[in-house]
Amino acid sequence: MKATLHTLQRRGHILMKRFVSNQIWNNFLRSFPFWIASLLTGLLAVGYALLFSVAEKGTQYVFHNYPLALFALTPLCFLLAWWIVRQWAPGARGSGIPQVMAAIELATPAHSGRIGKLLSLRIIVVKIMSSITMVLGGAAIGREGPTIQIAGSVFYVINRWLPARWPKLSDQSYILTGAAAGLAAAFNTPLGGVVFAMEELARIHIRYFRTALFSAVIIAGLTAQGILGPYLYIGYPKVSGAHFTLFFMVALTAVLAGAGGAVMSRLILALLRWRNALASGWKNVLYLLASGLVVAAIAYFLNPEILGSGKELMTRVLFTTQKHEEWHGAVLRILGPVLAFGTGAAGGVFAPSLAAGASLGAYAASLLEVSGANANILILGGMVGFLTGVTRTPFTSAILVLEMTDRHSIIFHLLLAALVAQVAALLIDRHSFYDHLKKQILQAEKPATTPAVRQGE
């Protein structure tokens, strides 16, 4: 009897070891594709960022040395960037975040075949080509949304390439993780990437792949840091000496910024609807050329800060004594993304939203007669508020700006700005900019509902 019990115990121990070994091995096999995709995402994000920077510097070189050439360069780049998307990959237009959101919802057996129109190797190439062309023309776009679609494409393609017997996670898991890794690599904000995935994208329980999510964000971020160094996207603005009364000023700034973000979103959506109503052909060409001429004219005659993503504006108002901004400067930083995004070419609104928020924050500081470090707090609050007004992700917006500046002492100011801006934006539009675009994509990609279903039968 004792021998039998001993034999059973030994066999149970052997089976348990095998089970644990198999579990570890399976977990490794599941995680390995995520690690490869994260490494590739980091490399692509760095390469894309360098190309983006070269294109922005090219625009500035042309403007400062041959300013009249902008009247030819900007319209031609707008037209070419739109044509690249229209000709080779319509799913690459715009920011890229709505496409990722739509792909996550389409990641079901009934619709999974349609994801390839939104996430693919072709999307990566066209996204980069079109957005870089737009930037060279001086368009007020960012690279962060496109980086998220690029990263989502990398993760999705790798998951599609895995052998049939490979232990897999769902397409949703891969796309969601790719988006988080892309944002982390683009902004060097690992917490922002994780929070964005949960707040904006997650419609599934991440506990089943949270290790893969965290490791992907870390690997993508470290890859970018390994090449670019441990940089901050913005830097270390002075924010010391904040008084309690400044909370009320931050709240007022957030109302202005949150409403501004919602208004900009509605303007872009209205312009896109009007564009869609245009007959294809020469009318579209004329519109694109006219948009480029308007941007060039504003830059030449009024204010060159309408050009580019707006990072130079953020640096100027946060790190120089010239913190005050006129109202028309803020209006132009809103108008720039409207004109650029309305072309239908590739380009994001993350960085332009931050720049518009910084401009509104600086304008609020001038109205409230706030200067120095306290003005910087209003500027950062404006950045959080405007981004919240566009994305409706208040926690993500606050964490992103916090990580970009490493100013933990004003975390409550940033959170307050996010909360107030969310309320102000909801009074203008209940849905975020990305939600509106996602619905349009889903309507185009999902098959039409049968008459019987529409009647509830």
Side-chain angles (χ1 to χ4, degrees), residues 48 52 77-86 89-97 99 122-136 139-147 149-150 272 288 337 339-349 352:
Y48 182 39
F52 203 92
C77 285
F78 277 29
L79 180 60
L80 179 59
W82 165 79
W83 180 83
I84 289 171
V85 168
R86 181 177 179 272
R93 66 184 179 274
S95 164
I97 294 176
Q99 287 91 325
R122 175 177 289 191
I123 289 289
I124 294 173
V125 175
V126 172
K127 197 79 177 182
I128 293 173
M129 289 175 59
S130 178
S131 59
I132 294 300
T133 303
M134 285 290 287
V135 174
L136 184 61
I141 61 170
R143 59 179 169 82
E144 295 73 29
T147 304
Q149 189 178 14
I150 290 168
L272 289 175
L288 292 163
L339 291 172
F341 208 93
T343 63
V349 295

Side-chain angles (χ1 to χ4, degrees), residues 195-196 199-200 383-402 411 414-423 425-426 432:
V195 173
F196 176 73
E199 188 175 25
E200 177 68 88
M383 292 165 64
V384 171
F386 201 97
L387 188 59
T388 299
V390 173
T391 65
R392 308 302 168 85
T393 54
F395 197 46
T396 299
S397 301
I399 293 299
L400 281 176
V401 174
L402 178 68
I411 179 61
L414 300 183
L415 290 173
L416 174 65
L419 176 63
V420 173
Q422 174 83 341
V423 175
L426 284 173
S432 77

